[in-house]
Structure formats: C-alpha cells, structure tokens
Amino acid sequence: MFSKARITAIGSYVPERVITNHDFEKMIDTNDEWITKRTGIKERRFAAENEFTSDLCMKAIEDLIIRYNKEISDVDFIIVSTISPDYQTPSVASYIQGKLGIRNAGAIDLNAACAGFTYGLHMANALITSGIHKKILVIGAETISKMTDFSDRTTCILFGDGAGVVLVEEDQDGHFLASSVHSEGEKAIHLYSTNLSHTMFQQDLEHKRQLVQNGREVYKWAVTTVPEYMNTLLSTTNLTFDNIDWFIPHSANLRMIESICEKSGFSIEKTIYSMVKYGNTSAASIPLSLDLGIKEGKIKVGDTLLLYGFGGGLSHSGQVIKWG
C-alpha cells in the first residue's frame, strides 16, 4: 500500500479510580474467579462523575506532548473515535480543538465503536497520503462506565474508561503497509445503545441509552471473522505472520483473543492486550495496548505491527504499520 504517513508520537491516560473484580462482588452476583475465567479481566478504570471523554483526551494529549516534546499548534486535523461523547453536539474533536486553541484544524468524531481507532488511522493515512493534510491527531477515547447497565451482570463487568492518542505526520517513507475497513451492519442489533430511534430492522429495542450486547453472538462473530480478515489483510502485502512482530487486537476479552490467535495461527505470546488492567475500553483499547507495549519495552523502533479492531456496527478494521 502506498503511504506518505507515519506515527511519530503516542500518549495515553486512564482515570484514577480503579474498579476491581472484588468491587463487583459487592454490586452484583459474581466473583473474581468467574470474571477472570471468562474474560481475563482483573480490574478497570472508571471516570469520575465530573470527568468525561474530552477530559481523558486532553490528558492523553498532554502525555504525548511531554513524552515526545511535540508541537501540536500546527495540527491540521483532529479525529476522535468514540461512542461515548460528552455531547450529541459539539463533537469531542471540536471541543478539544477549542480547548487546545488550535486555530487551523478540522475536527470530527468517528463512530466505529471498538474498531474506531483503526478506522481513524485509515482515514489519517489517506488524508495525509493524498496531500490534503500534513499532521493529524488520532484519538481513541471512551467513558463507557457512564453508559453501562450495572444490572446486566454479564456485560457490566467488561467495560472501562481510557484514552490513547497518536500523532500521524507526513513522511515520504510511509509506515502504513496495509489497511482494511469492513462492516456487517445486518448484525448491528447484537450490540447497540439507543438514541432517537427505538427500533432496528423492524425490531423494538431496549430504550435506555445504555449498552446492550448479545455477548454470545458477538463472540461467535469475532472469532470467525477476525482470523479470516487478518489473513486477507496480509495477503495484500508481501508479508506473512512470520513478519509480524506484534499483534495488537481490540482488547474485548482474553478468551476471545486466545481463540482468534488459535484460529489464525498467530502466537498469543506475540500478542499485546490491555484488558487485564483496563477492561474493554472500546475505541481506546488498541492505543492503550500499543502504549503498554512501548512502556514495557516490547515494541521497538522498526517493528511491524498488526492492529485489528472489531465490535459495534458490527464493524472491523485492520492496519499493518511499521513502528517509529
């Protein structure tokens, strides 16, 4: 794939409030052993009552600036991938553009749920490679705790809050090696949160503006779809799984990731995920995992990474990139 863009910096942030599996034992009929066995999750972070998605974005951007000493006043586009925006309008992207005081930047929110960050990278690479933009912030951020149904014991244990951001800049030696975006909207009813409409495909929905998920159906879809399209994505390049240094999937559920690795033939030992400490953070999970890999010294400059997001929509998207 022809590219003139690369990621030059990364930042992340998770809220201070830690919610452990033992905390859920006091809230619902569950226990740490049950949650760990089925999901691999041990804890997650919840935003404070007065802390919203835009606040997490700002903290992640501050982390990027401090760690990489980057100037962002000349950023010319901001993409925020989220399903939990502060407002229906303005977009989170516009709101943080105003907070940052960046005068010459376009700003949009992108809703592709758990595939949102990889969709955002797809757009950023295309916009820069086409010559339309030169410097783009791509953010994946969520405060899912604010739209979680805590009476649903199979769903509420999964989700957490967090934000991750990367800076994508023009570079003649483009580091985006392959990209794909897909949607299976006919299966959308398996994962939704209502808004103005209370029906989908002529079926009535639970109208409570909280996440509703058919976990069994989403699981079945992911473990069959993702391995197939991982191979399809690599087939567009001269690469094989042997050339991939690290696989970074959406951190939905550790058992799901183990199954995806088994079916695809990719090693779980070369897979990086963030759900153990942070839970399922939807659009934030891949950048949080990516940054964990960097902080832990696993990901090195020059490594080839396969990122794959999947979830609500039901949408899924993959990126093969060279890091650094």
Side-chain angles (χ1 to χ4, degrees):
M1 183 178 76
F2 179 67
S3 171
K4 289 186 178 180
R6 73 180 180 96
I7 297 172
T8 61
I10 187 170
S12 63
Y13 174 76
V14 291
E16 294 181 2
R17 185 184 176 197
V18 178
I19 305 295
T20 68
N21 292 346
H22 295 295
D23 290 323
F24 271 104
E25 294 175 354
K26 306 167 189 173
M27 300 164 57
I28 56 173
D29 180 18
T30 193
N31 58 67
D32 173 63
E33 182 182 5
W34 189 90
I35 297 172
T36 303
K37 182 178 180 180
R38 285 161 178 78
T39 71
I41 298 168
K42 298 297 291 185
E43 58 188 48
R44 68 289 288 151
R45 303 296 182 95
F46 281 5
E49 185 177 350
N50 63 345
E51 189 176 35
F52 298 93
T53 297
S54 67
D55 299 309
L56 274 56
C57 290
M58 292 294 293
K59 292 284 190 179
I61 293 168
E62 289 170 13
D63 181 54
L64 179 151
I65 293 170
I66 291 169
R67 287 165 57 190
Y68 289 85
N69 193 29
K70 282 289 185 177
E71 175 60 57
I72 64 166
S73 62
D74 56 343
V75 161
D76 54 14
F77 207 70
I78 301 170
I79 300 170
V80 175
S81 297
T82 187
I83 59 168
S84 52
D86 304 29
Y87 317 103
Q88 187 161 314
T89 190
S91 68
V92 176
S94 288
Y95 192 40
I96 65 172
Q97 175 268 322
K99 285 186 173 185
L100 292 168
I102 301 174
R103 303 304 305 169
N104 297 308
I108 60 166
D109 282 2
L110 189 160
N111 181 343
C114 307
F117 184 73
T118 43
Y119 261 79
L121 290 179
H122 177 82
M123 290 181 61
N125 175 53
L127 289 169
I128 291 175
T129 299
S130 69
I132 297 174
H133 291 280
K134 294 183 179 297
K135 198 171 184 178
I136 300 177
L137 285 172
V138 179
I139 308 166
E142 305 284 11
T143 47
I144 300 289
S145 65
K146 298 182 185 297
M147 53 188 295
T148 296
D149 179 1
F150 288 99
S151 67
D152 181 353
R153 66 187 291 268
T154 62
T155 299
C156 70
I157 58 171
L158 299 173
F159 297 105
D161 304 333
V165 56
V166 294
L167 185 62
V168 184
E169 298 190 64
E170 183 180 41
D171 191 305
Q172 294 305 308
D173 296 323
H175 285 193
F176 287 78
L177 308 181
S179 178
S180 67
V181 290
H182 308 277
S183 176
E184 296 182 41
E186 68 276 9
K187 299 173 183 173
I189 202 164
H190 295 317
L191 177 53
Y192 67 85
S193 174
T194 55
N195 192 5
L196 300 181
S197 175
H198 305 170
T199 63
M200 186 185 298
F201 297 121
Q202 290 76 54
Q203 296 185 52
D204 291 335
L205 303 176
E206 295 182 48
H207 179 57
K208 51 189 177 182
R209 296 203 178 190
Q210 293 173 319
L211 279 180
V212 178
Q213 176 174 253
N214 184 330
R216 186 181 299 275
E217 289 299 321
V218 173
Y219 188 101
K220 284 164 51 180
W221 168 79
V223 300
T224 55
T225 302
V226 176
E228 175 188 352
Y229 280 88
M230 288 168 63
N231 282 284
T232 300
L233 179 61
L234 284 181
S235 71
T236 65
T237 72
N238 293 321
L239 303 175
T240 68
F241 283 133
D242 291 337
N243 303 119
I244 302 298
D245 294 294
W246 297 102
F247 173 41
I248 307 177
H250 163 51
S251 283
N253 178 315
L254 183 54
R255 307 308 159 222
M256 185 184 291
I257 291 175
E258 288 171 342
S259 182
I260 288 170
C261 287
E262 181 181 354
K263 289 178 181 295
S264 67
F266 193 82
S267 171
I268 188 70
E269 284 74 27
K270 295 174 65 180
T271 301
I272 299 176
Y273 42 82
S274 56
M275 91 289 290
V276 178
K277 288 186 175 182
Y278 301 145
N280 179 341
T281 53
S282 187
S285 80
I286 288 179
L288 286 176
S289 300
L290 177 60
D291 209 13
L292 278 177
I294 292 165
K295 290 175 178 177
E296 293 172 358
K298 294 178 179 177
I299 298 174
K300 305 288 198 304
V301 172
D303 280 356
T304 301
L305 314 178
L306 170 57
L307 318 180
Y308 214 100
F310 50 90
L314 294 175
S315 57
H316 57 107
S317 170
Q319 297 283 334
V320 179
I321 63 172
K322 188 169 290 292
W323 181 254

